Amino acid sequence: MALIKNVGLIGKGLFGSAVLPALLDAGFTVTVFSRHEKNKDSLPTGVAHAVVDYSSVDGMTKAFRGQDALVSTIGFDSILAQKPMIDAAVEAGVKRFIPADYTSFSTDPAAAQLPQHLALTAVQKQLRDYAEAGRLEYTIVATGVFLEFLIDYGFAVNWKERSAQLWGEKGDYPVSVTSLAAAARAVGEVLRNPAQTRNRAVYVNELVVTQAQILRLGEEVAPEGTEWTVTRFEDPNAEFEKRLQAVLQRPEMDTIMALVVATLFSGKFKAQFAELDNELLGVELLPEAALRARVAAALK
């Protein structure tokens, strides 16, 4: 396929703010598309901005013309808004679409039908259908859980309360982890290597970690005498099912996030990627010292 030069970035939240400099560093000409003008003033020199209505295929078609690729970083609550975006991308002649489908296990058939993945898999199907028709190419960039979410948001250990709920006897189920910065660089490298990343998922991680490992590092870097409260879900399957039923009965952010944590740590799914595209996408594995430093910063 033709080389990609012009890239549209849809959304500029937490991950989008990391992706933008990565795209610029990779040499792309970038336009940021968002629903509001508020992001315009904070953009680097040379980055264009356009306001788009995510529900208007016609409006987005006009806005997307001239873009070789689109990278979506919209929030979890807006995943299905990508469907009209993809339709517009096709009509505008965009070559490659990267959906906002980074940290989950939506590409794992065993986990694809979990409630938090249904919108993601619906978008995947739309992309596959267009790809099979030869009208659009796509790449899903699977990064495992973002390092910042895992540590700073207390997914594995509650730093504020100095407590942890370990899944299983040892809390030793492995999880693939990637920082926002490395995940963003991987996005840029996908677009620099369009032939090798065409119409598939790519997999990267910087670390493979366990709850027990994170807790151990916390205990090592915490002030001497710090008291920790550690409990265990001795029956991970039962706790997972409890959280799944909670989402089915009340699909709100708190129940969904509890199920996401269960998906990561219950051992029911392969949270560690079996094969990696790190070499292709320039993502290096990090030593445990990098994880220790992140834990130490979270404990302050």
Side-chain angles (χ1 to χ4, degrees):
M1 65 168 290
L3 293 179
I4 292 170
K5 178 180 179 182
N6 299 321
V7 179
L9 174 62
I10 305 173
K12 191 176 171 292
L14 183 63
F15 188 45
S17 295
V19 170
L20 176 56
L23 292 175
L24 295 174
D25 289 345
F28 297 110
T29 299
V30 181
T31 298
V32 173
F33 296 101
S34 60
R35 289 177 291 187
H36 311 288
E37 289 277 0
K38 63 181 181 180
N39 290 324
K40 183 177 180 179
D41 294 339
S42 63
L43 296 178
T45 301
V47 175
H49 179 269
V51 175
V52 292
D53 178 353
Y54 291 172
S55 66
S56 173
V57 173
D58 288 343
M60 288 188 290
T61 298
K62 294 177 183 177
F64 293 162
R65 286 197 177 105
Q67 301 299 322
D68 300 312
L70 291 172
V71 178
S72 174
T73 62
I74 62 174
F76 179 78
D77 58 346
S78 300
I79 293 300
L80 288 177
Q82 293 177 114
K83 291 179 72 65
M85 289 176 191
I86 294 167
D87 290 335
V90 170
E91 294 302 317
V94 174
K95 302 179 182 70
R96 180 70 58 96
F97 193 98
I98 297 179
D101 190 355
Y102 302 101
T103 66
S104 74
F105 306 106
S106 64
T107 58
D108 178 358
Q113 296 307 308
L114 292 175
Q116 70 266 33
H117 294 157
L118 293 179
L120 297 168
T121 55
V123 170
Q124 290 175 15
K125 181 181 184 305
Q126 182 186 20
L127 288 169
R128 286 196 302 270
D129 289 346
Y130 274 130
E132 290 171 2
R135 303 187 67 191
L136 181 68
E137 297 177 356
Y138 71 89
T139 309
I140 296 168
V141 184
T143 64
V145 63
F146 286 141
L147 175 62
E148 290 81 356
F149 287 10
L150 181 69
I151 302 300
D152 298 346
Y153 292 8
F155 280 14
V157 177
N158 187 324
W159 304 118
K160 182 178 180 180
E161 297 183 3
R162 304 297 195 262
S163 66
Q165 289 182 304
L166 299 184
W167 290 81
E169 183 179 349
K170 298 179 180 179
D172 59 354
Y173 299 118
V175 177
S176 285
V177 179
T178 308
S179 67
L180 291 167
R185 291 196 300 273
V187 170
E189 289 303 308
V190 162
L191 298 178
R192 280 164 48 92
N193 295 275
Q196 299 94 319
T197 59
R198 177 178 179 268
N199 296 341
R200 71 180 183 99
V202 295
Y203 297 89
V204 297
N205 67 225
E206 290 181 296
L207 295 157
V208 176
V209 307
T210 68
Q211 271 191 297
Q213 177 188 15
I214 295 170
L215 176 60
R216 171 178 58 80
L217 292 173
E219 292 171 336
E220 290 175 0
V221 302
E224 186 176 350
T226 299
E227 295 185 1
W228 296 83
T229 301
V230 180
T231 58
R232 289 173 173 79
F233 295 121
E234 295 184 0
D235 189 343
N237 287 336
E239 179 62 25
F240 179 89
E241 184 62 28
K242 176 183 175 182
R243 296 188 182 198
L244 173 59
Q245 292 303 317
V247 171
L248 295 176
Q249 294 171 20
R250 186 173 62 85
E252 298 179 6
M253 189 55 66
D254 62 327
T255 59
I256 292 171
M257 292 310 299
L259 182 59
V260 168
V261 171
T263 305
L264 285 171
F265 295 122
S266 66
K268 286 180 65 66
F269 306 99
K270 295 179 181 179
Q272 177 184 0
F273 297 140
E275 298 182 1
L276 296 174
D277 293 286
N278 281 32
E279 184 175 356
L280 173 64
L281 302 180
V283 175
E284 297 182 357
L285 297 178
L286 296 179
E288 187 181 69
L291 181 61
R292 178 190 294 269
R294 193 81 202 187
V295 168
L299 270 168
K300 288 183 179 179

